[in-house]
Amino acid sequence: MIKKVAVIGSGSWGTAIALLLAKRGFIVNLWSYLKEEAQRLSADRENKQFLPGIMLPDSIYCTNSMEEAVKDAELVFMVTPSAFVKSTAENLSSYIKSGMIIVNAAKGLEQDTQERLSVTIGKAIPQAEVVVMSGPSHAEEVARNLPTTNVIAARTLEISQYVQDVLMCDFFRVYTSLDMIGVELGGALKNVIALCAGMSDGLGFGDNTKA
């Protein structure tokens, strides 16, 4: 089993994934885009902006250096907003070893090309094995150990099961899939559907309209 994991992105979902990995016994390097944010997380041991009241264990190291974040890491999670996935992947590429697995946990499409994010990452980091992670998962609930499920989709079942073993625990259930396109598009499009459902409710329509 691997020992060190890098999480690129320290928003609510990135921090929640870092907490989950720490609870699984891994050393986690959590990368922040802003140096001040990395320093604040290190000093406070808490993401007060996104996950207030949940303390970061000592096994989570916060840094603003991509090189430092992925050094000696055996697995990388990309959890940046979809609008910044392309630029982040391009900056990350030179630090990624051949065959390293990158798990894309961001939801959405690349805003300029409308590509799936795994395709965008694969173009920027062709030496990596890109995996998709998606599912109904509010960050604050994962951080508080509430039962949650996600899906890991990869090119092969072996890779999918490898990431599944890293994440699976008593409150976080992970399913495996080979349907990267379906899982990734499902994660992106569900937000559009949710917005439309909310608009339908706001207009006072019923279940038939929403369905």
Side-chain angles (χ1 to χ4, degrees):
M1 183 59 74
I2 65 175
K3 295 181 180 180
K4 184 177 287 187
V5 182
V7 176
I8 306 299
S10 59
S12 58
W13 190 214
T15 303
I17 290 175
L19 285 162
L20 171 62
L21 292 165
K23 289 166 188 171
R24 293 282 292 120
F26 301 112
I27 297 170
V28 183
N29 290 338
L30 179 60
W31 176 84
S32 294
Y33 175 70
L34 297 174
K35 183 177 181 179
E36 296 79 8
E37 184 178 75
Q39 293 173 337
R40 187 164 56 248
L41 290 172
S42 294
D44 296 342
R45 305 309 302 168
E46 177 187 4
N47 193 328
K48 292 182 178 180
Q49 181 180 1
F50 295 112
L51 295 175
I54 301 173
M55 305 309 294
L56 304 181
D58 292 340
S59 56
I60 296 179
Y61 297 86
C62 306
T63 179
N64 174 241
S65 167
M66 279 189 176
E67 182 176 12
E68 182 180 325
V70 301
K71 184 180 180 180
D72 300 326
E74 299 169 66
L75 187 62
V76 176
F77 285 79
M78 280 196 65
V79 205
T80 58
S82 59
F84 303 109
V85 164
K86 182 179 181 180
S87 59
T88 303
E90 289 172 346
N91 292 331
L92 186 64
S93 180
S94 60
Y95 307 119
I96 299 298
K97 300 175 183 176
S98 178
M100 179 176 278
I101 296 174
I102 295 179
V103 182
N104 175 49
K107 295 182 178 76
L109 300 174
E110 208 288 311
Q111 62 181 0
D112 294 327
T113 64
Q114 299 301 301
E115 290 177 330
R116 290 180 293 115
L117 297 180
S118 64
V119 174
T120 299
I121 295 170
K123 288 181 177 179
I125 317 176
Q127 71 272 27
E129 183 72 50
V130 184
V131 174
V132 174
M133 175 177 173
S134 192
S137 43
H138 288 177
E140 70 278 6
E141 295 187 9
V142 173
R144 296 184 187 281
N145 301 350
L146 296 181
T148 303
T149 185
N150 255 223
V151 178
I152 291 293
R155 183 176 55 84
T156 69
L157 186 60
E158 181 183 13
I159 296 170
S160 186
Q161 289 175 334
Y162 174 82
V163 181
Q164 178 191 46
D165 289 341
V166 170
L167 293 166
M168 185 93 85
C169 63
D170 56 356
F171 68 88
F172 197 79
R173 168 70 182 176
V174 181
Y175 294 91
T176 60
S177 174
L178 298 177
D179 184 11
M180 293 180 66
I181 296 174
V183 170
E184 202 162 13
L185 289 181
L189 296 175
K190 61 91 179 171
N191 287 335
V192 179
I193 295 170
L195 286 170
C196 293
M199 291 168 64
S200 178
D201 286 346
L203 290 168
F205 297 149
D207 291 339
N208 291 352
T209 309
K210 183 159 56 177

